[in-house]
Amino acid sequence: MAAPETVHTGPGLPGAVQPSLLQGFPSNVRSTGPPLAGHLPVARVHVETPLPHLDRPFDYSVPVDLDEAAQAGVRVKVRFNGQELTGFIMERTAESDAGHTLVPLQKVISPVAVLTPAVRDLVSAVAARYAGTVSDVLRVAVPPRMARLEKDFLADAATEAGAPPSGPETAGTDPHAASGDSAAGPGSIGDGWAGYRNGPAFVRHLQDGGSPRAVFSPLQGYGQAAWPRLIAEAVAAVRASGRGAVVVVPDYRDLNQLEKALLEVLPAADIARLTADDGPTPRYRNFLRLLAGSARVAIGTRSAAFAPVQDLGLVACWDDGNDLHIEQRAPYAHAREVLLLRADQAGTACLMAGHARSTELQRLVEAGWAMPVEAERAFVRRTVPRVLNTADSFEQERDPLALVARLPGAAWRAAKEGLERGPVLVQVARAGYAPSLVCETCREPSRCQSCQGPLALAGASGSSAIPQCRWCSTPAPDWQCVHCSGRKLRKGATGVLRTAEELGRAFPGKAVITSSGGHVKAEVGGAHALVVATIGAEPVADGGYAAALLLDGDSLLRRENLRAGEDTVRRWFNAAALVRPASDGGLVVITATESVAVGALLRWDPAGYARRELELRMQLQLPPAVRIASVTGPRSAVVHFTAAVEAELATSGLALRTAGPAPVVLAGPAAATHGDDVRTLLFFPYGQAGAVTRVLRSTKAAAAAKRTEEPVQVRLDGVDVL
C-alpha cells in the first residue's frame, strides 16, 4: 500500500488511507518531484507508528539521488499524513500496486542497513505469533541509533573495501573460528558434557556443522563444571564449524558469568554483549560489530535474541522459566519463543538449558522437537548435595515444632556445621524487613481502609512503628480487622533484612551478607559467612556453598498462580545447584511441607516434575498444553472485541473456549485508573493458533481504525493471567 502525500480521512478512520484510493488504478509507478531511480524505483517502508491499523508497509518512490543509500534495511524519513515519520525500508521493488501517485522518500537517515533480511523475517514472525505490531517488535530488535558510531562504522567499512584482497591461503576462512590454537583446544571442546546422556553427541554434532536441538539440565552453578562453562563449550563447538551463535540469559549477573566462561575458549574480539545495562553506546557499538561480522557470538539479555549474527548456527537460552525473559512492552514476547522461531526459520541448532525444566520445554521434548540432555544417575549422586526436608516424619519426631518454626532445629544445625566449612546460603521469599502484617487474632491479612492495599512496617523501628499501606502510604494507627474486629497486628512474613538480623544474633561473630532488591550481589568469596538472599538474588560463592537453607517454601507454593509450583521448583534448583556435592559435605535443607515439588528436589528430578506438571495441564487443557490470549479493558470494549473475534472465527468453523469477563485485581496506583477493567481469557489449540492470532490482529486493527470503543490490551501466552 502506498502512502499518499495527503491522506484522506473519513468518519471513524482518522489518518487512515481510504480503500477507494487504492482501487481502479493500473499497477505502475507514478511520482511527483525529482526523477526516480532507474532500477527498483519503489521502496516499501514500514513506518514506525503505534497504530495497529497502519501496521503494514507503504510504497514510496525512490529519488535518483537516494538510490544508492536507500537500500533494504536502512532507516528513512517519509511524509505520512502531513507528518514526517521514521521507518525502515523492508524491500525495493520494480512496481507498485498502489494505483496512484507515490510520495518520494524524504531522507535516508543512515546508509547502514541495520535491519537484515533474517531479522526482518523474524520480527514479522514474532509480531504474528503475539498478535502485535511489527513496529513494536522493531523497537526491541534494533537498538536506538548512535550517529557517531555509525560514522566510524562506515569509515572502517570503506577502509576494508580499499584493502588488498586476501591471499589464497586465507580466503574463505573465518579468522575467529575456534581452532587447535584456541584456549579450548580441539580435544577439550565438550569435555564437560561427558557425564550427560546425549551430551557428547550433541557437541560433536555442533562441531561437525549439524543443527541438533536439545533441552539441557546441568547440575552445577559454580566452578569449572558450571552451566556457563558448558554453554561456552557448545558455542566453541559451533564456532569450530565456522558459524555464529546467540545466547540469551536473564540478567547481568548471568551475563557476566557467561562472558567470563566464553573468554576462556574464544578470543575477546569474537564476543559481543547486547544489554541495556551497559548503556546505549556500548550496546550499539557491539550491534554494529555483529552487523559487520567482526564478532560472531552475541550474548545478552532478552533483546539479544534479535542480534544480527552472520552465518548463525546456534541459538541458546539459559533459565527460560525466569520472567525476566519476557519483554515488558507490547507485544510482551518471550525470548525463548523468539529463539525457537529463529531456530525454525534459519534451520539452526537450538539449546535450551536450565537447572530445572519448564513445562514449555517438556512439551518440546515430548513432541520430539528436541532431545533431552540429562545427567546419568551415578553422575547425579556424585555431583549434587544431599537434600533434607524438615517436614518429613523422621525430622518431626526429632523436632515436633519443625512445622511451625521458621528455622527448625535441623536447619539451625546445618547452618552451624556449614559455617565451619565455608559460606552458608539462606534463601528467603521476600525482600525488606517485615513485608506483610496479619491480624494477631484471626491471622487474616491486614488491609488499608482507604484503598484495600496490604499494610506493612516501613523498617525495623520496633514495636512503636506505625503500620502503613504499601500502595498509597496511608498510615493506619487505629487499624481494626474487618473479620474479627481485632486491633493487634503481627508479622505475617519475615523479609530478608529481618532474617539477616535474627541470624546475626543466632550466630554471633559470623559475618552476615544480604543480597536483595537494589543491592544484589553477583559473587561472594569463600569466607565463612551467612549469605541471606531473596529468591533469584543468590550470589555465586567461590568453591560453592557448604550448605543452603531454603526457607518460606510453603508461602511460595501457596501463591495463587498456575505456575506457583513450577516456579518454586525452579528457584529451589537454582539455589541448590550452588552448593557443594554431598561427598564434600554439601547439604540443602528445605522447610516446606511434603509435596510433589519437595519430592522433585529430594530426588533431584526436575524432568520428572516437569513431566507430571505437563500431564496435569494437558488433562485440564491449560497452558502450555494450549495457547491462551487475554483481552483486558473496559467491560463493553472487551465484550464487543471478544464477540467480533468469535464471529470471525465461526466463519472458518473454529470455536474458542472462553473464560470471563471477570474483574481484574490490580495493585497500587493502577487500581485508581483501571480499577473497573475486566479480562476475558481465550483458550485455543496450537493447530488453530495461526488462524486465531490473525483474527486477533485484524480485529484489533479494525477497532483502532473505527475508534468506536476504548482500546483493549491483547496479550498472548501471559504467565501471570492464571
Side-chain angles (χ1 to χ4, degrees), residues 292-318:
S294 58
R296 301 287 294 280
V297 176
I299 60 173
T301 48
R302 52 182 179 256
S303 62
F306 296 93
V309 175
Q310 295 186 9
D311 299 322
L312 185 63
L314 171 68
V315 296
C317 181
W318 168 253

Side-chain angles (χ1 to χ4, degrees), residues 362-616:
Q362 180 62 29
R363 176 179 166 272
L364 296 180
V365 171
E366 294 188 6
W369 191 89
M371 66 176 180
V373 178
E374 303 168 333
E376 302 285 354
R377 291 311 299 177
F379 185 60
V380 171
R381 288 190 289 270
R382 294 195 307 267
T383 307
V384 304
R386 184 168 71 94
V387 182
L388 183 148
N389 182 20
T390 60
D392 64 22
S393 57
F394 177 76
E395 292 296 332
Q396 287 187 51
E397 289 182 3
R398 300 180 62 189
D399 184 3
L401 299 178
L403 288 177
V404 295
R406 186 157 189 267
L407 193 68
W412 186 88
R413 289 191 299 271
K416 182 176 182 297
E417 296 171 2
L419 285 171
E420 298 176 358
R421 303 189 304 273
V424 173
L425 174 66
V426 182
Q427 183 194 69
V428 298
R430 297 174 178 85
Y433 187 80
S436 63
L437 298 173
V438 299
C439 175
E440 188 176 78
T441 305
C442 66
R443 299 295 194 271
E444 289 291 331
S446 59
R447 294 290 178 180
C448 173
Q449 297 177 353
S450 300
C451 71
Q452 297 304 305
L455 298 182
L457 297 178
S461 304
S463 59
S464 61
I466 297 177
Q468 66 180 31
C469 179
R470 292 169 56 189
W471 292 356
C472 66
S473 300
T474 301
D478 301 320
W479 175 84
Q480 184 176 8
C481 179
V482 297
H483 300 279
C484 68
S485 300
R487 291 186 174 274
K488 291 186 177 181
L489 293 167
R490 62 169 291 160
K491 298 179 180 66
T494 303
V496 62
L497 299 180
R498 176 65 181 270
T499 303
E501 181 182 295
E502 293 176 348
L503 289 174
R505 290 197 296 263
F507 298 96
K510 296 296 183 182
V512 179
I513 303 171
T514 60
S515 177
S516 67
H519 301 86
V520 176
K521 293 178 173 57
E523 297 178 350
V524 294
H528 298 199
L530 286 161
V531 181
V532 186
T534 50
I535 49 178
E538 303 88 354
V540 178
D542 292 343
Y545 289 99
L549 313 181
L550 309 182
L551 308 182
D552 306 325
D554 287 333
S555 63
L556 291 173
L557 292 170
R558 283 198 298 261
R559 288 174 298 163
E560 296 180 359
N561 187 282
L562 175 67
R563 299 175 182 267
E566 179 183 348
D567 187 61
T568 300
V569 168
R570 182 184 66 83
R571 296 180 185 278
W572 284 346
F573 273 98
N574 286 351
L578 300 175
V579 183
R580 300 168 187 169
S583 58
D584 294 337
L587 175 64
V588 174
V589 178
I590 180 172
T591 61
T593 54
E594 291 284 355
S595 64
V596 175
V598 173
L601 184 63
L602 290 172
R603 299 187 306 273
W604 205 277
D605 185 21
Y609 180 84
R611 191 180 306 113
R612 180 184 184 278
E613 190 72 10
L614 179 62
E615 182 180 350
L616 292 175

Side-chain angles (χ1 to χ4, degrees), residues 37 124 141 171 184 277 281 299 311 334 358 408 464 511 516 546 574 585 614 618 686:
S124 299
D277 293 330
T281 299
I299 60 173
D311 299 322
H334 196 296
S358 67
S464 61
S516 67
N574 286 351
L614 179 62
M618 294 181 69
Y686 284 86

